[in-house]
Amino acid sequence: MSKAAEAENPVDIAAGRLSAAQYAENFSDVAPPLDRNSAVTEANRCLFCFDAPCIEACLTSIDIPVFIKKISTDNVKGAATTILSANIMGGSCSRVCPVEELCEEACVRNTQSGQPIKIGQLQRYATDHLYSRKDAQVFTRKPATGKKIAIVGAGPAGLSCAHGLAREGHNVTIFEARPKAGGLNEYGIAAYKVAGNFAQRETDFILAIGGIEIKNGQALGQQITLSQLRKDYDAVFLGMGMKGVNALGLEAENLQGVENAVDYIEKLRQAKDLGKLPVGRHVVVIGGGNTAIDIAIQTKRLGAEYVTLVYRRGAGEMSATHHEQEFAQTNGVTIKHWAQPKKLIGFQGHVTGVEFEYTQLDANGKLMGTGDTFSIPADMVFKAIGQTFVATPLKEQGRDLLQLTKKGRIAVNEDGQTSLPGVWAGGDCTEGQDLTVAAVEDGKIAAIAINRALKEKK
Amino acid sequence: MADITCKIAGVTSPNPFWLASAPPTDKEYNVVRAVEAGWGGVVWKTLGEEGPPVVNVSSRYGAINYGGNKMAGLNNIELITDRPLDVNLKEIERVKKNWPDRALIVSLMVPCEEQSWQKILKRVETTGCDGVELNFGCPHGMSERGMGSAVGQVPEYIKQVTEWCKKYTKMPVFVKLTPNITNILHPARAAVSGGADAVSLINTINSITSVNLDLMAPEPVVNGIGAHGGYCGPAVKPIALCMVGEIARDPDCKKIPISGIGGISTWRDAAEFISLGAGSVQVCTAAMHYGFKIIDDLTDGLSNWMDEKGYQTLDDFRGKAVPNYKNWQDLDMNYDIKAVIDQDKCIQCGLCHIVCEDTSHQAVKAERLGDTRRYTVIDEECVGCNLCMLACPVDTCITMKRVDNGKPYLTWPNDPRNAANMKKA
């Protein structure tokens, strides 16, 4: 590119904006682990409630007072066993759960002293401790039953279900489209929340029970079909994620530099050298969920100078928690509320900015544009306005094999059973909260139901 | 502002807080730091007779930690001072000269022979100290050599030694009692009949604080082995209070002045000891946990509390709780209280319910209204035991309310339900 053309081209995307040391610092553990002394001190604050509200607020019903009591007596292995017995991914949940809206919000210490017990951090303390032990295996696999179960998707739902079934002595084969297991823990969660290759460590721990085989590069509807799995296996569990990403619905969305936030995060999570990952000087993120927050913070930490997150409604309506919003702001992300994208501005096929229109609610509470517009320069624009479950792989010969909900996800009963006999489902492909902990619970419950069904069949 | 000047057995101090005879009072350096910080007096760490040295071992303390709190209880296996007698005496003399307004008592422990006591008293008297305290208490080490609690456990010895001391010195004689006996009144009465000017109690309680589960030996471990030690600190306060109260209310103890010792850590503890009859109070573990600076709150807190209650001097409330310390058979069988849970203060932890349900009278009902937990007392089942109130983590959330049943004060001996009375009827 000639010097003249370079001067005209306003796009500024570059790799290596920071030093290696800065990358390392920016993507290290966001919340350093508690040491023994802090953990025991914090554990001693727990009141050991009867009918503890925290247990109920945990989607996997971990017996929180019991595991905290065990931490306070240095029975840390026992604490981890209590946690993992209820939630086999208690390690990643301790890092990624929005605890301020779940267990910690329910903690009675909020009312008593304004400070809940740091349940998430204590849970991490216990599970980290277990993973660091040589005798980490606290579960035993029952004698082999000879039953075979196919699981589609090696994310939290699939892995949780697999572990539950493997413990019962069944043989599990997991079909995973991607090259690695772990699902969003491996590909989607912000890097600094699961630092140190944690997702892989946790997956290894789960697989160590035995009886679980993972086949990578196996996507439903491509290498495998549901009909075939039903024929070849005694039961099937579907634990796919959300492959679809909502579009902005604007013209020129195919401009270079306009990208799905989840795709970029996946690249970031798998990057061997973050210094080689190009990032814009000006970054605009559109959306109000945790993905929007995650991409905004991570691009900032990659060296983007100006990161603006724009959301069409107010702070209270954002699905990202208050804690996450605040964290973005302390990371230097500008959050702009009440504005919606109107136009992507481009130069020579590359995005250079976004025009927004201010929004407000009309008398009926409906969102409408005010007509007042402004634009923000952008070398990169990330779409983070939601993901969708793509049900096409469940269609065979032009018809849906199983019933979907109105929202297009797989319909299941309370056991995770689908309308198709022998097929269960859970996690993001079904309805419910789109959280790791919810997926783990789905997988756990389905494993119990599948085990029961297989026994009854006998 | 209240006057917290303390007078006991002819000894005065600007406040009732003395450091007990223990490691903090082993030498001039520590003692000067203490008096500079504001302590009212010190009882110098126990002196032994001149001659063969006392030698201490390494590893001397063991502790009980509870619920994240360190040193709820402390024990030690340290012997009496291991410094030469003349060094100690010179330092005592200097401290008393430089700090004449502070109480300086010297603790003593020599073999149970008249000459030994005569000899040491003569030496100590030259220092100008305010009095002596006879260490008949230490349950470890020295007791194996026939001293300390080995004397304190035999009332006749106590009386004998006290008499010798009274014979050979004009200084006030404090007799320090061991709690390692079945009834504190026997040694206390022995001290009284021997002519003691005051008793100090309690000395430490014989104890093993914990077993080191790796070494399989009692703490504190000395090269793989442990010995029993003397237990003190906040955990022993209830035992000490009870013994102080026993002596204070015993007619045969003839209102002998008491220097109260045992787990005193706060001004409130001190006020409790004084209200049960103590003259001065002695502190050790609290200082060994936090340093001498705690004296500031001890004196200030006591004085502020006295102002609030309208007590102008320590004598105004000294022994005020003694008449209310009675035996079980003097209690009112008709007194009826029920727990009341303040729903506005309740944080829904449910401890009141579970402790009553599992371990008491099933008198706290647990209900769920959606996400809200509601705990209420079933009056018919509540026996007024206090357990829920004690377990509740919120101050004043659970209170015990008196039921006005209109019944008169009725003791068990007079109760018609008492089998003895049934027979009469």
Side-chain angles (χ1 to χ4, degrees):
Chain A
M1 200 184 285
S2 73
K3 276 215 160 171
E6 210 178 334
E8 279 169 31
N9 187 354
V11 176
D12 185 351
I13 297 179
R17 290 185 184 276
L18 308 173
S19 69
Q22 280 173 303
Y23 285 118
E25 194 193 323
N26 288 355
F27 289 89
S28 68
D29 227 327
V30 63
L34 298 178
D35 61 13
R36 180 193 166 271
N37 203 48
S38 336
V40 171
T41 304
E42 186 63 15
N44 276 318
R45 291 185 60 231
C46 176
L47 296 173
F48 204 70
C49 294
F50 162 78
D51 189 15
C54 54
I55 303 179
E56 222 164 79
C58 173
L59 299 182
T60 55
S61 308
I62 295 172
D63 196 330
I64 294 164
V66 161
F67 94 69
I68 291 180
K69 175 66 90 188
K70 291 181 179 181
I71 288 175
S72 76
T73 66
D74 281 328
N75 176 12
V76 191
K77 183 179 181 180
T81 308
T82 299
I83 295 163
L84 298 181
S85 300
N87 178 338
I88 194 62
M89 303 191 86
S92 53
C93 287
S94 73
R95 291 162 162 81
V96 306
C97 257
V99 287
E100 64 279 2
E101 294 188 340
L102 299 171
C103 53
E104 291 185 15
E105 183 184 49
C107 178
V108 304
R109 280 281 198 185
N110 284 304
T111 339
Q112 198 221 15
S113 64
Q115 276 298 321
I117 307 294
K118 292 172 185 160
I119 299 168
Q121 290 202 60
L122 288 172
Q123 184 168 317
R124 176 175 171 183
Y125 170 77
T127 49
D128 278 5
H129 167 88
L130 183 71
Y131 291 155
S132 70
R133 288 175 74 111
K134 287 207 181 81
D135 59 343
Q137 188 52 266
V138 291
F139 299 105
T140 45
R141 178 164 149 83
K142 286 185 187 167
T145 61
K147 300 281 184 194
K148 301 186 313 177
I149 296 111
I151 290 179
V152 182
L159 287 172
S160 161
C161 187
H163 191 266
L165 291 168
R167 278 173 71 184
E168 293 296 334
H170 306 306
N171 283 330
V172 181
T173 307
I174 306 182
F175 298 90
E176 168 58 48
R178 287 191 163 100
K180 286 188 194 168
L184 286 178
N185 281 351
E186 177 62 45
Y187 290 99
I189 302 290
Y192 44 76
K193 288 185 190 165
V194 282
N197 210 12
F198 180 75
Q200 189 58 53
R201 275 171 68 203
E202 188 169 57
T203 303
D204 291 346
F205 175 81
I206 292 170
L207 298 184
I209 185 82
I212 305 171
E213 183 196 8
I214 299 188
K215 292 188 169 175
N216 294 100
Q218 304 285 307
L220 192 68
Q222 294 173 36
Q223 291 81 4
I224 49 167
T225 65
L226 182 53
S227 305
Q228 196 59 44
L229 292 179
R230 287 187 72 209
K231 276 188 204 136
D232 296 347
Y233 291 87
D234 297 302
V236 178
F237 176 78
L238 302 173
M240 297 87 75
M242 298 192 281
K243 282 209 98 174
V245 176
N246 290 333
L248 298 171
L250 300 178
E251 277 177 35
E253 226 168 293
N254 57 353
L255 277 173
Q256 272 185 48
V258 180
E259 211 174 326
N260 291 325
V262 289
D263 295 340
Y264 189 83
I265 292 174
E266 185 172 332
K267 272 189 273 181
L268 188 148
R269 283 296 308 275
Q270 297 305 313
K272 289 207 169 63
D273 179 1
L274 290 170
K276 292 197 173 126
L277 189 64
V279 70
R281 185 179 296 277
H282 290 84
V283 170
V284 167
V285 176
I286 300 166
N290 283 331
T291 304
I293 297 283
D294 283 357
I295 186 81
I297 295 173
Q298 288 185 108
T299 50
K300 195 83 183 55
R301 289 183 170 213
L302 271 177
E305 208 170 318
Y306 306 98
V307 179
T308 313
L309 185 156
V310 186
Y311 178 58
R312 60 194 177 135
R313 294 173 189 269
E317 286 83 18
M318 285 177 81
S319 66
T321 65
H322 176 71
H323 171 82
E324 290 280 321
Q325 294 180 42
E326 229 175 54
F327 187 55
Q329 285 163 330
T330 52
N331 271 269
V333 172
T334 304
I335 301 182
K336 205 152 177 56
H337 296 115
W338 299 108
Q340 61 191 11
K342 289 301 279 185
K343 199 165 97 187
L344 292 162
I345 305 159
F347 176 81
Q348 291 178 350
H350 199 289
V351 73
T352 56
V354 190
E355 185 182 297
F356 289 93
E357 180 187 19
Y358 281 110
T359 54
Q360 62 185 33
L361 297 178
D362 69 11
N364 300 319
K366 208 177 154 237
L367 192 75
M368 54 172 279
T370 64
D372 188 11
T373 62
F374 65 95
S375 33
I376 304 177
D379 304 305
M380 288 178 131
V381 174
F382 290 108
K383 296 180 276 185
I385 55 169
Q387 291 150 255
T388 53
F389 172 60
V390 180
T392 22
L394 299 170
K395 257 190 204 319
E396 289 180 25
Q397 277 109 38
R399 60 182 190 90
D400 284 324
L401 289 181
L402 36 71
Q403 206 184 324
L404 299 180
T405 66
K406 276 179 195 158
K407 289 177 183 165
R409 302 209 193 176
I410 300 171
V412 289
N413 68 9
E414 67 274 16
D415 280 340
Q417 193 161 18
T418 69
S419 59
L420 197 59
V423 180
W424 282 259
D428 283 351
C429 64
T430 59
E431 284 187 16
Q433 286 182 272
D434 296 335
L435 295 171
T436 305
V437 63
V440 175
E441 179 68 1
D442 287 355
K444 177 176 101 183
I445 289 199
I448 294 167
I450 292 169
N451 181 51
R452 197 169 52 224
L454 292 179
K455 273 189 180 155
E456 280 165 7
K457 223 159 79 173
K458 192 166 63 175
Chain B
M1 214 173 93
D3 173 9
I4 57 170
T5 307
C6 173
K7 284 192 200 92
I8 171 172
V11 180
T12 60
S13 58
N15 64 56
F17 299 100
W18 299 356
L19 282 169
S21 168
T25 59
D26 189 33
K27 55 185 183 295
E28 183 179 14
Y29 179 82
N30 305 73
V31 170
V32 168
R33 287 178 70 84
V35 290
E36 278 173 354
W39 288 81
V42 298
V43 183
W44 203 276
K45 186 171 161 97
T46 309
L47 309 184
E49 63 178 354
E50 201 152 32
V54 167
V55 183
N56 274 298
V57 291
S58 226
S59 185
R60 300 181 192 178
Y61 306 125
I64 290 289
N65 303 327
Y66 183 75
N69 288 318
K70 304 280 278 183
M71 276 166 66
L74 176 75
N75 95 344
N76 83 91
I77 55 169
E78 202 177 89
L79 304 179
I80 59 174
T81 185
D82 50 15
R83 300 175 341 124
L85 180 63
D86 57 335
V87 173
N88 273 310
L89 293 174
K90 265 182 211 145
E91 289 184 5
I92 290 168
E93 186 178 359
R94 198 151 55 222
V95 170
K96 185 61 207 178
K97 203 175 132 201
N98 293 339
W99 300 86
D101 69 324
R102 308 303 166 92
L104 207 172
I105 311 292
V106 177
S107 172
L108 300 174
M109 184 197 286
V110 293
C112 221
E113 296 151 7
E114 189 167 357
Q115 276 182 321
S116 300
W117 287 97
Q118 182 183 13
K119 223 157 118 185
I120 189 111
L121 285 166
K122 215 170 176 185
R123 301 282 308 269
V124 171
E125 221 158 37
T126 62
T127 63
C129 70
D130 298 297
V132 291
E133 186 180 86
L134 316 186
N135 181 346
F136 294 159
C138 285
H140 55 278
M142 300 311 284
S143 58
E144 295 169 21
R145 306 177 194 179
M147 291 180 268
S149 64
V151 177
Q153 286 165 338
V154 185
E156 292 76 15
Y157 293 170
I158 294 176
K159 181 167 182 269
Q160 178 70 79
V161 177
T162 309
E163 282 169 353
W164 291 334
C165 292
K166 285 306 289 178
K167 188 162 125 191
Y168 295 115
T169 183
K170 294 223 152 50
M171 293 187 290
V173 173
F174 289 63
V175 174
K176 188 164 179 179
L177 304 177
T178 175
N180 301 301
I181 37 77
T182 42
N183 184 348
I184 194 67
L185 291 178
H186 297 302
R189 287 170 186 163
V192 171
S193 62
D197 297 284
V199 287
S200 307
L201 72 159
I202 57 173
N203 202 308
T204 55
I205 302 172
N206 217 356
S207 62
I208 290 175
T209 45
S210 59
V211 171
N212 183 314
L213 291 176
D214 296 318
L215 300 173
M216 281 296 164
E219 291 282 7
V221 179
V222 180
N223 195 14
I225 307 283
H228 58 86
Y231 193 47
C232 54
V236 313
K237 186 190 109 177
I239 298 162
L241 268 180
C242 178
M243 292 187 169
V244 165
E246 284 294 309
I247 293 171
R249 72 175 184 169
D250 178 45
D252 292 342
C253 284
K254 300 173 183 162
K255 293 196 159 89
I256 186 166
I258 300 167
S259 187
I261 314 169
I264 296 164
S265 313
T266 67
W267 61 263
R268 193 183 298 274
D269 296 333
E272 292 172 16
F273 272 84
I274 295 168
S275 69
L276 265 184
S280 65
V281 290
Q282 299 185 29
V283 177
C284 175
T285 306
M288 290 185 73
H289 194 172
Y290 299 110
F292 293 142
K293 203 175 165 183
I294 56 165
I295 188 62
D296 189 49
D297 182 52
L298 289 173
T299 50
D300 190 51
L302 182 65
S303 164
N304 284 337
W305 170 78
M306 286 169 66
D307 287 345
E308 224 165 86
K309 293 287 181 187
Y311 300 128
Q312 281 161 7
T313 67
L314 297 177
D315 285 335
D316 288 357
F317 72 98
R318 186 186 323 281
K320 221 173 169 182
V322 176
N324 294 327
Y325 172 40
K326 293 262 172 68
N327 291 335
W328 192 92
Q329 65 164 8
D330 302 316
L331 303 178
D332 182 6
M333 304 305 294
N334 281 334
Y335 181 64
D336 190 13
I337 53 172
K338 306 280 178 206
V340 179
I341 301 170
D342 183 338
Q343 296 299 332
D344 292 336
K345 289 182 182 160
C346 176
I347 59 169
Q348 305 181 19
C349 72
L351 288 177
C352 54
H353 164 76
I354 199 62
V355 295
C356 191
E357 194 70 15
D358 280 355
T359 71
S360 289
H361 297 85
Q362 297 75 48
V364 181
K365 189 165 60 175
E367 291 170 294
R368 286 292 297 263
L369 309 155
D371 279 345
T372 308
R373 290 148 174 83
R374 193 177 156 84
Y375 299 98
T376 45
V377 177
I378 307 164
D379 279 354
E380 305 76 64
E381 303 297 332
C382 179
V383 301
C385 74
N386 291 351
L387 181 64
C388 57
M389 176 178 76
L390 301 177
C392 179
V394 182
D395 278 348
T396 71
C397 172
I398 299 182
T399 47
M400 306 304 292
K401 287 264 154 62
R402 184 164 188 176
V403 178
D404 183 13
N405 55 17
K407 293 179 185 168
Y409 198 105
L410 177 73
T411 61
W412 183 242
N414 296 320
D415 194 308
R417 293 167 292 186
N418 183 335
N421 296 331
M422 282 178 186
K423 273 180 211 150
K424 272 184 227 160

